[in-house]
Amino acid sequence: MIGGARQPREDGPPPVPPSHQGCAIRPVRVHLPAQRGELRDRHEDGHHLHHLVWRLGPGVRVCSSAVLGGGIGPRAWILNAQVPGGYPRLDPDRHLAEIAASEGLTGPGAGLMTAADVAAYTTGHDGGVTATVTTGLGVRGWAAVPESATRTPHRPGTVNIVLTLPAALSDAALVNAVATATEAKVQALLDAGLDCSGTPTDAVCVAAPEPGPDGGEPFAGPRSTWGARIARAVHTAVLAGARPAVDLS
């Protein structure tokens, strides 16, 4: 079950050498329901920042485009960490591992990063699916652009989507779930009145129980049972997060 208790594992992130540890990270717990993650805050280089942590139960796997622990496989945790605008580091995976270590997270995990205010996260719920979204739209645009535009460095503004659901999905359905979540994100951005498909650094994580002998649900497209729930949950959460961006435009 997602969000259940688990025993620490010994195959966690490798220790970070002192020369790479940077400033001290002092996290503080703010209680939230486990399925939405735990909201935490920390202090780095004079910045007061937040991150969300999902401590997943045993037998959970994740499909994600996360900078740390991306791909498909068993994951013990998910971390969505806020960083300052103009992020200066060139090792985001190591930085995320440092934050994970400060939280006592062990075992394989998935780590996402954003310059958006993580404390302003939004959620959507539908039929057992929970979508938790942090919406940073300061650097937004369309996915298909001229080649010259793809050479420009991009800041981690980022719409990050973390989905948890109670149904096991096949490999194909996990990939389909990421596509469905992305479609729903774009629909929500358009419904909010924004002229974009997202930001250059958007990421998605889908967490679901490992499938048994039956292989899990075979479909997660927007007209399948679980895909439709994913789409509605993501649309609700992204729309709620995007509306403030419209107000500031």
Side-chain angles (χ1 to χ4, degrees):
M1 177 180 294
I2 293 172
R6 64 180 303 279
Q7 294 298 317
R9 292 171 54 171
E10 297 178 355
D11 56 343
V16 179
S19 60
H20 295 286
Q21 286 180 351
C23 61
I25 297 172
R26 294 183 285 115
V28 179
R29 182 186 302 271
V30 181
H31 290 288
L32 285 175
Q35 200 175 32
R36 290 184 294 173
E38 302 168 57
L39 180 64
R40 310 273 284 180
D41 67 357
R42 68 189 194 281
H43 298 272
E44 291 182 21
D45 293 328
H47 296 283
H48 183 201
L49 304 167
H50 291 87
H51 52 274
L52 284 164
V53 179
W54 287 258
R55 302 172 194 271
L56 306 177
V60 176
R61 65 178 188 159
V62 171
C63 176
S64 82
S65 57
V67 66
L68 173 68
I72 299 177
R75 300 289 184 268
W77 48 268
I78 299 172
L79 174 69
N80 185 15
Q82 179 186 357
V83 296
Y87 183 65
R89 292 183 61 160
L90 300 177
D91 58 347
D93 54 343
R94 181 178 290 275
H95 188 186
L96 287 163
E98 292 171 14
I99 299 170
S102 76
E103 289 287 355
L105 301 174
T106 59
L112 306 93
M113 192 168 277
T114 180
D117 180 6
V118 168
Y121 74 94
T122 54
T123 60
H125 311 274
D126 195 290
V129 174
T130 295
T132 305
V133 175
T134 51
T135 308
L137 291 165
V139 184
R140 58 182 183 262
W142 295 101
V145 296
E147 184 177 359
S148 59
T150 64
R151 301 185 186 128
T152 305
H154 298 293
R155 303 193 306 272
T158 311
V159 178
N160 281 342
I161 300 170
V162 176
L163 283 159
T164 59
L165 60 154
L169 302 179
S170 68
D171 285 1
L174 279 172
V175 175
N176 206 176
V178 172
T180 296
T182 303
E183 290 184 45
K185 175 199 72 175
V186 175
Q187 181 182 348
L189 294 175
L190 296 177
D191 287 347
L194 293 167
D195 188 20
C196 66
S197 59
T199 86
T201 52
D202 292 355
V204 180
C205 278
V206 181
E210 292 183 344
D214 63 353
E217 295 287 333
F219 306 113
R223 292 299 171 264
S224 68
T225 298
W226 288 103
R229 294 170 180 174
I230 287 169
R232 290 190 293 266
V234 169
H235 184 272
T236 297
V238 174
L239 186 60
R243 280 175 172 155
V246 176
D247 296 338
L248 293 174
S249 297

